[in-house]
Amino acid sequence: VQDAASGQEPGSGGDEGSQRRWKEEICQILGEIQAPLSPLLLRLCHWLLPKLLTRLFLGVQLHRGQLEMVLRAARTPEVPMVFLCSHQSQVDGPLLSFILLSQGIGLPRVTVGAKTSPRLRSLLQRLGGIFLPSGMAPTWSDPDEGLPGAVLDAYVQEVLRSRQPLVLFLEEPLASLRLADPARRWLLRLLRALRDGAVPDVLLVPVGIAYDVAP
């Protein structure tokens, strides 16, 4: 992050005013990615969600054997879990978050698409949602992503080091079965964290979500 910040204003790395501006910009980027979790909202959401699900569906089915495998894997020391998920509707994120928390795996950080209103974005961030920051390079393959890319790299590494579960949706709802551009950016961060040795390994868990009728 320091290298990316100093690269924006070469020769001003020791200037106190420049350092203050960098810090403010870094905090602004971090605020676009995530927000502090709200215990009150989390409790309210996880009280309301089962009631909502029972109105939407006859039931929610989990594969018990596969769930037991995930629970055993969650006990692996010093290795974070990353859930790579299909994406059928906007209910997927809260549903998967509720399941993981209720099974004792922990509250995950869940990637959310950019097409979200500011109010909904703020609410989802308080519930564990994370977003790509604005100002990223126009294409995911662009090697120069500037300060937003550097802050996002550092953030993902900290999430993995703290062993918080990370949920990545690989596609957009109601879209063709192809890897979405935001998913490519998140996966790139994951690969960089492994390459740079931020964590020794990562447990990848494929998750399939299907509905009789998508909400």
Side-chain angles (χ1 to χ4, degrees):
V1 172
Q2 288 177 341
D3 291 343
S6 59
Q8 291 186 345
E9 298 181 46
S12 61
D15 181 73
E16 185 176 343
S18 296
Q19 290 183 356
R20 186 168 58 251
R21 286 195 302 273
W22 295 344
K23 185 175 181 179
E24 290 174 354
E25 187 174 351
I26 289 167
C27 289
Q28 180 181 354
I29 294 169
L30 189 59
E32 293 180 357
I33 298 172
Q34 63 125 50
L37 297 174
S38 170
L40 177 61
L41 279 176
L42 285 167
R43 284 196 295 268
L44 180 63
C45 179
H46 290 127
W47 176 75
L48 285 174
L49 191 59
K51 300 180 183 299
L52 173 65
L53 293 176
T54 56
R55 290 185 175 273
L56 288 175
F57 311 114
L58 293 176
V60 177
Q61 296 180 348
L62 298 175
H63 192 292
R64 178 59 58 183
Q66 293 177 355
L67 182 59
E68 289 174 355
M69 291 172 60
V70 172
L71 292 172
R72 286 200 302 271
R75 293 192 288 268
T76 306
E78 305 302 325
V79 179
M81 300 187 74
V82 178
F83 296 83
L84 304 179
C85 311
S86 60
H87 204 5
Q88 302 295 317
S89 84
Q90 301 299 342
V91 179
D92 297 348
L95 174 62
L96 194 54
S97 176
F98 170 73
I99 291 172
L100 295 178
L101 187 59
S102 65
Q103 295 298 319
I105 295 175
L107 181 72
R109 288 292 183 171
V110 182
T111 60
V112 185
K115 298 176 182 178
T116 308
S117 67
R119 287 185 178 180
L120 182 58
R121 181 184 181 120
S122 177
L123 173 63
L124 292 176
Q125 284 182 320
R126 296 289 183 178
L127 296 173
I130 54 176
F131 295 78
L132 291 171
S134 59
M136 299 280 288
T139 60
W140 70 272
S141 57
D142 192 331
D144 183 16
E145 294 181 310
L147 189 57
V151 174
L152 187 61
D153 279 333
Y155 174 78
V156 170
Q157 290 186 14
E158 287 303 314
V159 169
L160 295 174
R161 285 196 192 102
S162 63
R163 296 192 69 231
Q164 295 180 70
L166 181 62
V167 173
L168 305 183
F169 289 110
L170 301 181
E171 57 197 14
E172 296 292 341
L174 305 178
S176 59
L177 294 177
R178 62 182 180 84
L179 192 62
D181 184 65
R184 295 177 187 271
R185 293 177 184 269
W186 288 110
L187 289 171
L188 181 61
R189 265 72 220 175
L190 188 61
L191 291 172
R192 285 177 178 170
L194 286 169
R195 180 198 64 191
D196 296 342
V199 287
D201 201 358
V202 169
L203 290 171
L204 299 179
V205 182
V207 179
I209 301 175
Y211 301 92
D212 291 334
V213 178

